[in-house]
Amino acid sequence: MTESHHLGEPVSPGPQHGRRASTASGRYDAPDSYRNLDDSLAPISRPPPQHAATFPPATFPPEHQRRRSHSRPASAASQADYNVPDTYANLGETADVSPVQNPYEEPIRRFRSLEQVRSREQQFAREQKLRRRQSLAEGQKPEQEKPEEGKFEVSRLATQLYTVSYLILFSIFGTLARLGLQALTTYPGTPIIFSSIWPNFAGSLVMGFLSEDRMLFREAQEQSPSTDEENGNGTTTATTAKQAHAALKKTIPLYIGLATGFCGSFTSFSAFVRDMFLALSNDLPPTSNPTTPRNGGYSFLALVSVPLITISLSLSALFLGAHLAIALAPLTPSLSRGGLRTFLDRSAVLLGWGCWLLGAVLLSALPPGGHGDWRGKVTFALVFAPLGCLARFFVSLRLNGRVASFPLGTFVVNLAGTGVLALAWDLAHSSAVGVGAGGGGGGAPLVGCQVLAGVQDGFCGCLTTVSTWVGELAALRRRHAYVYGGASVLGGLAVVVAVMGGLRWSGGYEWGACGHVFGIQQGCGGQVEPRTSPYPVTPLHSLTSPPQSADVFARFCRARGLPTLFVCGSDQYGTATETKALSEGVDPPTLCAKYHAIHKDIYDWFRLDFDVFGRTPTPEHTAIVQDIFTRLWKNGFIEQRETTQAYCPTHSSFLADRYVEGECSLCHDKGARGDQCDACGNLLDPLEPDRDASGNQETNATGWLINPRCKLDGTTPERRQTKHLYLRLDSLQDDIRKWIETAEKGWSANCVSITRSWLDQGLKPRGISRDLKWGVPIPTGLDSLSDEDYAKKVFYVWFHTIIFPASQIGTGENWTKVKHVSTTEYLNYEGGKFSKSKGVGVFGNNARDTGIDPDIWRYYLLSRRPETSDAEFKWEEFVDCNNNDLLKNLGNLCQRIVKFCQAKMDGVVPEYDISKFPALQQHKADVDKHLQEYIADLKAVKLRAGLSTVMSISALCNKLLQDNKLSNQLIAEEPERCSAVIGIALNHIHLLANILSPYMPEKAQSILRQLGIKGPSGGEDQELSVSIPDTWDATALKPGHAIGTPELLFANIPAAKIDEWRDAFGGEELRKQKELEAEKAAAKKAAREKEKEKKKLKKAAAAQGSQAAQGSTATLPIRPAQAADAATNSTEPAESATKN
C-alpha cells in the first residue's frame, strides 16, 4: 500500500492497530525492527528543483483514513516472501533513502530525508502504544497481533536465521576484502599512507550501488503491476514501484547480508579514527622516506587531512556507486525468487556457520603445521568478524529508531568499537602481553599478539562501519548531518586520544611481545652488537653504519638511564683474511692482530665508546658455534652434498672461489676472480659449469673464468668432487617466517625488503662450510659425519636476519634473538665510489690526517647517514656543515649566552620567573615538544632525523634571543625580562648539550664545562655525566649557579680546503673513473644502436627478397637469408643486396 499525501504531513491516528499492512502482505516474515537498519539506504533522493511539481494531499474516505493510519508506512510496504520483524526497519542500510537523484524519476520522485522516514516509523510505534493504553484504561484486553497464515512463504524464524547466516558469511567476506585491499595498497612510495582509506572507499562504492539498484531483486517482486490504490484510479506510478521495491529489499535477508554484512565489514570506522590519531602523533608508517619531526601546525594539518580525505572519498564513492547502479541497470541481472529462497538462503546457513565454526575457529585453534602465522594474519580476524557484525546489527535494530535525526545505534557501535581497538592497540604496543613472542619462537605471548590483531581487524573492523555512516550523512538533513558527522568524528578522536594518547605521550610505545614498534627497554637493556671486518683501513661508509650508529644509540640509552652493553669486534675469519695474509706473507693470526689494533685505534679516535671490543678467534666463540652446529646436526637440519670444485694439485688443496683468477667470459677482463668480475660487475663461477643431460649449463652465475689459474701459484686447477655441509633453510622456512613476522616491525625498511625477498623466492639449503684453514673447525665425533671428509674445512656463515636466526631456531633452544635491526644503504664519494685500491675516497686514517675534530666528522657522517637510500660524501657539503650548521648556529649560540651571563650577570644564573612572560612559556612548550620527537626518533634508531631535531632545538634558542632582542638595552630597560631570557637560555643550551652528546660527545662535554657542570668529585678533567630527560622543565640550572668559562666550540674551515682535500683523496683518479664509466655507457649505447640497425637491415633485406620472389619469373633472386647476410655485410642500401 502506498501513500500520496505530502511527505511532511503527519498521519492522523485511527482505531486500527493491527500488524502493518506492508509486512502482512509480504512473503518473508521480517521483524519490524529491521526498518531501523541504515545499511540499506535504498533509495536516497536529493531534493527536487524549486520548480518541481508538488502534489497536494489526497482526500480519502474517513474509514480509509482510519485504516491507513495504523498500517505500516509506505516506505516499508512490500510484497516480500519473508516474514520480516518490524525492527528490521531500524537498520540504516534499509532506510528508504537514495544517494542520488535518478534523472528519469525527477518529475515524480519526491525527496524524503532519513528524519522523515524515521519520524513516520516512530509515529506508528507511538500510535500502537497509545492504543494499548486506551484499551487497558477501558478495561479491555489489548488486541494481540495475529499470525497471518499463508501470507508469507518464509516464516519469521527462518527469516531471522537466514539473516544471521548471511551476516556471518558476508562479514567474513568483507573482512577478507578489507585485509586484502589493505595489503594490495600498501607499497613503497604510496601517495596515501593510511591503510584504511581504500577499503572505506570500496565499501562505500558497493553500498551506493546496492542502495540505488533495482535490478538484482526485481524478479523477487510480484510480477503484477503495482497500482495506486489510495487514489482509486488504478494507474501505475513510478513512485509506487520504487517505494515497493525499496521496501521489498529491506525484507530480503540476502540484501541485508550484502549491505550490513559485506559493506559494513569491508569498511571500518575504528581504523579510520585510529589513522587520525597516528597522523596526529606522527606515527603513520612511512612507505619510503622515514618519518621526520614536525611542529604542532603540521600535526594539525596531518590530523585534519585524514577525515577530509576519508569522508570526501567515501561520500564520493557512495554517489558513484549509485550512479553506476543507474547506468548499469540494463546489464544488471536479477535473482529469481525460487533460486533466492530454495538455494541461496539455505546455502547461506551452511556456508556462513561452516566457514565461521569449521573454518576460521578450527584453523585458529589447530593451524596446519608450519602455518601458525595464519592466525596473526587472517584467521583470528575471521573468528571475531561475525561477532562484531552481529553486535552492530542488533544494536542498530535496538537504537537506530530512537532519534530520527541522529542514528544512535551506528553512533554507539562506532565509538564503542573505536574504544576497543584503541585498547587492543595499546596492549599490542606495550609489554603487557609478555616478552616471549619475539624471542623464543612461539608460546602464549605470540598467540596473545595474534588475538589482539584479530580483535582489531575482525571484531572492531566489523563492529564499526563507514559505509553505513556516510549513507546516513547523505540521507540526513544538512544541519543534522553536520551534527551527527561531527559528533562521530570528534567523539571517536576523543576516545583514541584518551586511550592511545595516554601510552603514546607518556612512556611511548614499547616493543612488547608483538613487535609492532621498537621499544627502548629491550633494545638498550640487552646488547648493541655491531661488528667490523679485518680490512687494512676502515672506510667512512663502514663508520656510518654499524660502529658509529651503534655508538650513538648506546650513548642515548646510557643517557636515558637504561642498562646498556655495547659489544663490537673484528670478524676475522673468512676468505678475505687468508687472501690478504698470503699477499703480505704472514699467517692469518698475525695479520688479524695487526689490523685489529689499527681498527681499535681509529675507533678510539672517532670516540666510539665500546664496552667490549673483541674478535672472533676465541675459545668461547668456537665452543658456541660448534655447539649450535651439533644440535642442528642431531635435529636433522644439516645435510651433506657433493659439489665440483677447483682443486690445486700443486699445494694439494681445494680452492675457494676468490683463490681462482682468470679471464672473464663476459667482458674478457684478464684479472677477474672466481666469484666476481670487478670490471663488469657480474657474478662468476671459477670453472665453466657442467652441462646437464639437455646440454644446459648448471649455474646460478652469469659467467665463468676462461683459463683459470690458482691465485697462489698459477697452477691450472682441476675439477674434483668434494663434500660440504648445508643448513636446510627450506625445512626451517615456516618457523623463520613465523618469527620474522613478530620481529620485522622493529627493522629498517631496506632490511625488511631484502629479508622478504629471500622468503618470497623460497629458502634453499645454504652452504656453511669452506675449504679454508682459518676459521672455526667442523666438530668431530658426530654420528654419520666423516671426520676425514671435513678435517680441512671450516664453518663459513653470516650473521643475518635469516641464516643466524634459523640456526638458533633449529637447535630447539630458547635463544634470545635479534629484536631490532638497523641497516643502511651505501655512502658514495663525490659522484663515484670509494675504492682503496684506486685511492678514491677518504678513509678512517685519512679523516684523522685532515686535522678536523672527530666530532665534526661524526656530525657530518650521521647527518648524511644513508638510512633509506644511498647518500653522497661531498667535501663542499662537509665544509658547509661545519661553517654554517655548527659554527653559526650552535657555536655562536653558546658563546653569546655564556659570554652575556659572564659579562652582565657576574657569571651566575640570575633569579628569574618565566610565568610572567607567555612567550617564554610557549618557548618552553615548543622545546619540550621537540624533545619528545627527538626521543621517539632515537628509540626508532632514526638517527638522521634525531640529529635534525637537535639542530631544530638549537634554532629555537637562536629565535628566542632574536625575538627578545638580547642586548645591553634589554637589561637596562627590562631587567626582569632579560633575567628570564638568560635563565631559560642557559637551561636551553644545557638541554642541547645532553641531547647532542650521543652524536658529538666531546662538544657536549665542552658545553657542560662552560655551564659550570662539575664531575662527581669536582675535578676539571673528569667526564661529565649526561642525562636526557623525559620532559624539559627548564630548571636544571638553578638561580645562583656559577657558570664556567666560554670556550670556542668550532672554527671556520677555509673554502680553499675543499679543492685541496678533493685532489688529495682521489681527485684525478675519480675523474678517470667517471670518464671510464661514461665511456662504458656510451659504448653500450652504441652497441645497442648498432644491433638495432643490424636487425633493421636484415628485416628490410628479407622483405625485399620476398617481394622479388612474387614478381617477374624471368629473374631468380637470391635467397632471403643470403640477402640478409649481404645486407649485413654491406654499407650500401638494402636494395643493392638483390640482383637480377
Side-chain angles (χ1 to χ4, degrees):
M1 180 176 291
T2 61
E3 299 173 331
S4 59
H5 69 285
H6 195 277
L7 291 171
E9 285 187 345
V11 183
S12 57
Q16 189 170 337
H17 56 276
R19 180 175 173 85
R20 305 183 190 187
S22 62
T23 305
S25 64
R27 287 173 176 77
Y28 282 93
D29 188 5
D32 290 341
S33 60
Y34 277 31
R35 68 184 184 277
N36 290 335
L37 288 175
D38 287 332
D39 307 79
S40 302
L41 294 167
I44 304 174
S45 184
R46 295 293 84 198
Q50 295 296 326
H51 63 274
T54 58
F55 295 87
T59 303
F60 301 96
E63 64 274 12
H64 195 128
Q65 291 183 1
R66 287 194 299 269
R67 183 178 76 248
R68 59 186 293 277
S69 63
H70 292 291
S71 64
R72 191 169 187 176
S75 63
S78 75
Q79 298 171 345
D81 297 325
Y82 301 84
N83 188 353
V84 181
D86 289 343
T87 55
Y88 276 32
N90 291 335
L91 290 174
E93 295 92 340
T94 62
D96 184 11
V97 201
S98 168
V100 296
Q101 171 65 49
N102 191 325
Y104 303 105
E105 300 170 344
E106 193 273 333
I108 59 174
R109 178 65 174 160
R110 301 301 309 280
F111 170 73
R112 289 190 296 178
S113 66
L114 185 60
E115 295 94 322
Q116 291 173 312
V117 175
R118 286 279 180 264
S119 296
R120 296 173 62 200
E121 301 289 355
Q122 291 172 352
Q123 182 178 355
F124 174 81
R126 287 194 297 268
E127 291 172 357
Q128 293 288 69
K129 188 175 182 180
L130 179 61
R131 292 297 302 170
R132 286 194 294 269
R133 288 180 178 178
Q134 290 176 350
S135 298
L136 290 173
E138 295 171 1
Q140 300 177 2
K141 184 178 180 180
E143 183 178 345
Q144 300 294 324
E145 178 179 329
K146 299 179 181 179
E148 299 176 34
E149 299 295 332
K151 293 286 186 178
F152 303 99
E153 297 184 12
V154 183
S155 67
R156 172 72 61 90
L157 180 61
T159 298
Q160 293 176 311
L161 174 62
Y162 294 156
T163 302
V164 170
S165 301
Y166 276 122
L167 290 174
I168 292 173
L169 180 62
F170 284 114
S171 67
I172 292 175
F173 288 166
T175 302
L176 288 173
R178 171 161 39 86
L179 296 177
L181 188 56
Q182 286 179 174
L184 289 174
T185 54
T186 302
Y187 53 88
T190 175
I192 300 179
I193 62 174
F194 52 98
S195 60
S196 62
I197 181 62
W198 290 116
N200 287 339
F201 174 88
S204 300
L205 180 75
V206 178
M207 172 65 82
F209 183 94
L210 293 173
S211 299
E212 186 63 34
D213 170 72
R214 274 178 280 159
M215 304 303 295
L216 284 174
F217 303 98
R218 179 181 57 182
E219 293 185 15
Q221 192 173 359
E222 291 265 342
Q223 297 303 312
S224 58
S226 300
T227 59
D228 194 341
E229 297 176 347
E230 294 186 356
N231 61 22
N233 58 18
T235 60
T236 301
T237 66
T239 303
T240 302
K242 186 165 186 176
Q243 290 177 349
H245 184 80
L248 165 75
K249 288 198 297 186
K250 72 170 61 178
T251 66
I252 299 177
L254 174 58
Y255 179 82
I256 296 174
L258 288 169
T260 305
F262 182 79
C263 296
S265 301
F266 198 171
T267 60
S268 175
F269 184 90
S270 56
F272 150 54
V273 177
R274 176 206 63 201
D275 288 345
M276 286 178 59
F277 177 83
L278 295 180
L280 172 65
S281 62
N282 199 19
D283 288 318
L284 282 173
T287 60
S288 53
N289 295 325
T291 304
T292 56
R294 64 187 184 210
N295 58 37
Y298 291 146
S299 293
F300 175 77
L301 290 176
L303 168 66
V304 172
S305 67
V306 177
L308 284 181
I309 294 173
T310 299
I311 296 174
S312 58
L313 282 182
S314 298
L315 280 171
S316 300
L318 184 77
F319 300 145
L320 176 60
H323 284 293
L324 287 174
I326 295 172
L328 298 177
L331 305 176
T332 305
S334 179
L335 299 174
S336 66
R337 293 172 61 189
L340 183 63
R341 291 194 305 272
T342 60
F343 178 74
L344 291 180
D345 290 348
R346 296 173 184 176
S347 298
V349 177
L350 296 176
L351 289 175
W353 293 94
C355 289
W356 186 21
L357 299 179
L358 298 180
V361 174
L362 190 60
L363 282 176
S364 296
L366 301 171
H371 294 283
D373 57 329
W374 287 4
R375 299 187 296 192
K377 291 181 178 179
V378 176
T379 58
F380 270 128
L382 301 185
V383 169
F384 293 111
L387 298 177
C389 181
L390 292 175
R392 171 164 50 86
F393 174 74
F394 288 112
V395 171
S396 296
L397 296 184
R398 175 72 63 176
L399 298 180
N400 266 356
R402 297 291 180 90
V403 182
S405 60
F406 196 99
L408 188 58
T410 308
F411 178 82
V412 167
V413 294
N414 277 347
L415 262 63
T418 301
V420 175
L421 181 140
L423 288 172
W425 176 273
D426 275 4
L427 287 173
H429 290 73
S430 70
S431 57
V433 180
V435 295
L446 176 59
V447 176
C449 295
Q450 294 172 332
V451 169
L452 288 174
V455 169
Q456 294 178 63
D457 292 332
F459 181 80
C460 300
C462 295
L463 179 62
T464 64
T465 176
V466 167
S467 59
T468 303
W469 181 60
V470 295
E472 292 164 339
L473 293 178
L476 287 167
R477 290 172 178 168
R478 184 176 303 137
R479 179 167 59 104
H480 295 157
Y482 276 108
V483 171
Y484 174 56
S488 299
V489 173
L490 295 179
L493 182 61
V495 169
V496 295
V497 167
V499 180
M500 295 172 63
L503 177 63
R504 172 62 177 84
W505 293 315
S506 58
Y509 293 140
E510 301 293 341
W511 176 272
C514 300
H516 288 288
V517 177
F518 167 63
I520 200 70
Q521 280 75 6
Q522 282 69 32
C524 296
Q527 298 181 345
V528 183
E529 298 182 342
R531 64 188 180 94
T532 60
S533 300
Y535 295 115
V537 292
T538 303
L540 288 182
H541 57 78
S542 290
L543 284 170
T544 61
S545 186
Q548 184 168 269
S549 300
D551 180 71
V552 173
F553 185 64
R555 289 178 181 272
F556 168 75
C557 293
R558 296 187 188 114
R560 293 284 290 165
L562 299 166
T564 305
L565 181 63
F566 182 15
V567 179
C568 188
S570 298
D571 182 6
Q572 298 182 352
Y573 288 139
T575 306
T577 304
E578 284 197 3
T579 304
K580 183 66 178 177
L582 287 171
S583 67
E584 294 195 8
V586 297
D587 60 6
T590 302
L591 179 89
C592 290
K594 170 186 173 181
Y595 287 114
H596 181 82
I598 293 175
H599 277 180
K600 185 63 168 64
D601 184 48
I602 293 173
Y603 291 154
D604 288 343
W605 181 81
F606 265 95
R607 297 174 181 144
L608 304 185
D609 190 16
F610 305 116
D611 291 302
V612 177
F613 185 75
R615 61 185 77 194
T616 48
T618 63
E620 295 83 2
H621 180 263
T622 299
I624 292 173
V625 172
Q626 291 183 339
D627 178 69
I628 290 176
F629 172 78
T630 300
R631 295 176 185 274
L632 290 169
W633 177 263
K634 292 179 178 179
N635 293 341
F637 293 117
I638 301 293
E639 68 180 18
Q640 302 179 74
R641 290 186 179 183
E642 279 200 351
T643 61
T644 300
Q645 193 169 333
Y647 180 85
C648 179
T650 301
H651 63 274
S652 302
S653 175
F654 284 98
L655 299 176
D657 292 348
R658 287 193 179 191
Y659 283 145
V660 185
E661 294 180 341
E663 179 183 344
C664 175
S665 65
L666 301 175
C667 72
H668 300 287
D669 180 79
K670 302 296 184 180
R673 299 190 312 270
D675 59 345
Q676 180 176 324
C677 175
D678 288 337
C680 64
N682 285 295
L683 298 178
L684 302 178
D685 284 331
L687 304 174
E688 183 175 357
D690 295 326
R691 297 181 180 272
D692 59 20
S694 303
N696 298 318
Q697 291 174 329
E698 299 175 344
T699 177
N700 291 324
T702 55
W704 55 86
L705 293 180
I706 301 173
N707 300 322
R709 61 185 180 276
C710 174
K711 178 182 177 68
L712 305 180
D713 51 36
T715 303
T716 300
E718 301 174 356
R719 293 177 181 271
R720 289 198 184 181
Q721 293 291 313
T722 183
K723 284 186 177 180
H724 277 292
L725 300 168
Y726 286 75
L727 175 63
R728 297 183 59 191
L729 293 177
D730 52 337
S731 299
L732 292 162
Q733 174 155 341
D734 292 337
D735 290 329
I736 296 170
R737 186 185 296 274
K738 178 180 177 181
W739 168 75
I740 286 174
E741 287 171 352
T742 67
E744 68 178 0
K745 290 187 176 131
W747 301 354
S748 52
N750 53 358
C751 176
V752 173
S753 176
I754 294 172
T755 303
R756 281 289 173 186
S757 69
W758 276 49
L759 291 173
D760 293 342
Q761 293 170 9
L763 298 181
K764 299 176 178 60
R766 182 82 175 188
I768 59 172
S769 61
R770 291 292 188 274
D771 290 286
L772 299 172
K773 299 175 181 178
W774 182 236
V776 177
I778 310 297
T780 58
L782 296 179
D783 292 341
S784 303
L785 186 66
S786 170
D787 294 345
E788 182 181 354
D789 288 343
Y790 297 98
K792 296 182 179 181
K793 301 181 191 295
V794 298
F795 287 116
Y796 188 85
V797 295
W798 298 261
F799 286 79
H800 192 273
T801 56
I802 288 180
I803 296 174
F804 187 60
S807 302
Q808 292 178 304
I809 292 171
T811 65
E813 300 294 309
N814 188 18
W815 293 88
T816 296
K817 301 180 186 63
V818 61
K819 290 185 173 66
H820 188 86
V821 181
S822 178
T823 59
T824 61
E825 302 293 345
Y826 290 98
L827 180 69
N828 296 318
Y829 180 78
E830 291 282 351
K833 295 180 180 180
F834 282 88
S835 174
K836 178 62 181 176
S837 62
K838 297 179 180 179
V840 176
V842 56
F843 294 79
N845 55 337
N846 303 137
R848 181 169 50 187
D849 295 341
T850 62
I852 301 299
D853 188 277
D855 274 13
I856 310 299
W857 284 100
R858 288 174 63 108
Y859 174 85
Y860 176 73
L861 293 174
L862 289 163
S863 69
R864 277 21 179 210
R865 185 173 186 256
E867 294 180 351
T868 57
S869 60
D870 290 355
E872 193 84 10
F873 180 95
K874 293 185 177 180
W875 285 109
E876 185 175 358
E877 291 181 353
F878 175 79
V879 172
D880 182 71
C881 274
N882 177 82
N883 294 349
N884 292 301
D885 294 359
L886 297 177
L887 176 60
K888 294 181 180 179
N889 183 338
L890 183 60
N892 289 348
L893 171 68
C894 295
Q895 283 279 300
R896 183 180 181 187
I897 296 171
V898 174
K899 284 186 174 181
F900 191 94
C901 183
Q902 282 282 5
K904 306 299 181 183
M905 299 180 175
D906 300 325
V908 297
V909 179
E911 294 287 342
Y912 67 97
D913 182 7
I914 68 171
S915 63
K916 299 179 181 180
F917 306 100
L920 299 185
Q921 291 178 307
Q922 182 60 46
H923 172 81
K924 176 176 171 290
D926 291 342
V927 172
D928 185 67
K929 184 172 182 180
H930 278 70
L931 174 61
Q932 305 311 311
E933 294 173 354
Y934 167 86
I935 292 173
D937 289 335
L938 269 291
K939 282 183 176 181
V941 200
K942 297 178 180 178
L943 306 184
R944 187 171 177 173
L947 184 55
S948 175
T949 304
V950 172
M951 301 311 293
S952 296
I953 293 176
S954 176
L956 282 176
C957 196
N958 275 308
K959 184 177 184 297
L960 171 74
L961 304 186
Q962 294 169 3
D963 291 347
N964 289 277
K965 297 180 174 59
L966 180 66
S967 62
N968 293 337
Q969 182 179 359
L970 180 66
I971 196 171
E973 297 178 355
E974 298 182 79
E976 190 173 10
R977 174 185 288 275
C978 186
S979 296
V981 170
I982 287 296
I984 195 171
L986 286 169
N987 277 281
H988 191 129
I989 60 174
H990 179 268
L991 174 67
L992 270 174
N994 284 278
I995 62 177
L996 186 66
S997 62
Y999 296 93
M1000 307 178 74
E1002 182 51 43
K1003 298 305 179 185
Q1005 291 286 305
S1006 175
I1007 296 173
L1008 292 175
R1009 288 193 296 269
Q1010 294 179 61
L1011 293 175
I1013 305 299
K1014 304 294 184 182
S1017 60
E1020 293 291 333
D1021 297 330
Q1022 290 180 319
E1023 183 174 353
L1024 307 177
S1025 63
V1026 294
S1027 175
I1028 298 175
D1030 294 328
T1031 57
W1032 185 56
D1033 56 12
T1035 60
L1037 302 180
K1038 308 291 184 184
H1041 171 80
I1043 65 171
T1045 304
E1047 300 176 11
L1048 284 175
L1049 287 175
F1050 309 101
N1052 186 71
I1053 299 177
K1057 285 289 186 181
I1058 298 174
D1059 290 334
E1060 176 186 330
W1061 286 330
R1062 185 182 289 134
D1063 291 338
F1065 300 112
E1068 182 61 32
E1069 185 61 37
L1070 183 63
R1071 281 191 289 273
K1072 292 180 181 178
Q1073 185 185 102
K1074 290 182 178 179
E1075 289 174 0
L1076 181 61
E1077 291 175 355
E1079 289 175 2
K1080 287 182 178 179
K1084 287 182 179 180
K1085 182 177 179 181
R1088 288 195 300 268
E1089 294 294 331
K1090 184 177 180 180
E1091 183 65 23
K1092 190 186 296 184
E1093 184 64 24
K1094 182 178 178 181
K1095 291 180 179 178
K1096 182 178 179 182
L1097 290 173
K1098 282 185 176 182
K1099 185 176 180 180
Q1104 186 175 6
S1106 175
Q1107 292 174 358
Q1110 296 173 3
S1112 173
T1113 59
T1115 60
L1116 183 62
I1118 62 176
R1119 291 176 299 172
Q1122 295 172 328
D1125 294 338
T1128 302
N1129 298 322
S1130 174
T1131 58
E1132 297 297 320
E1135 289 78 8
S1136 63
T1138 303
K1139 299 180 180 179
N1140 293 332

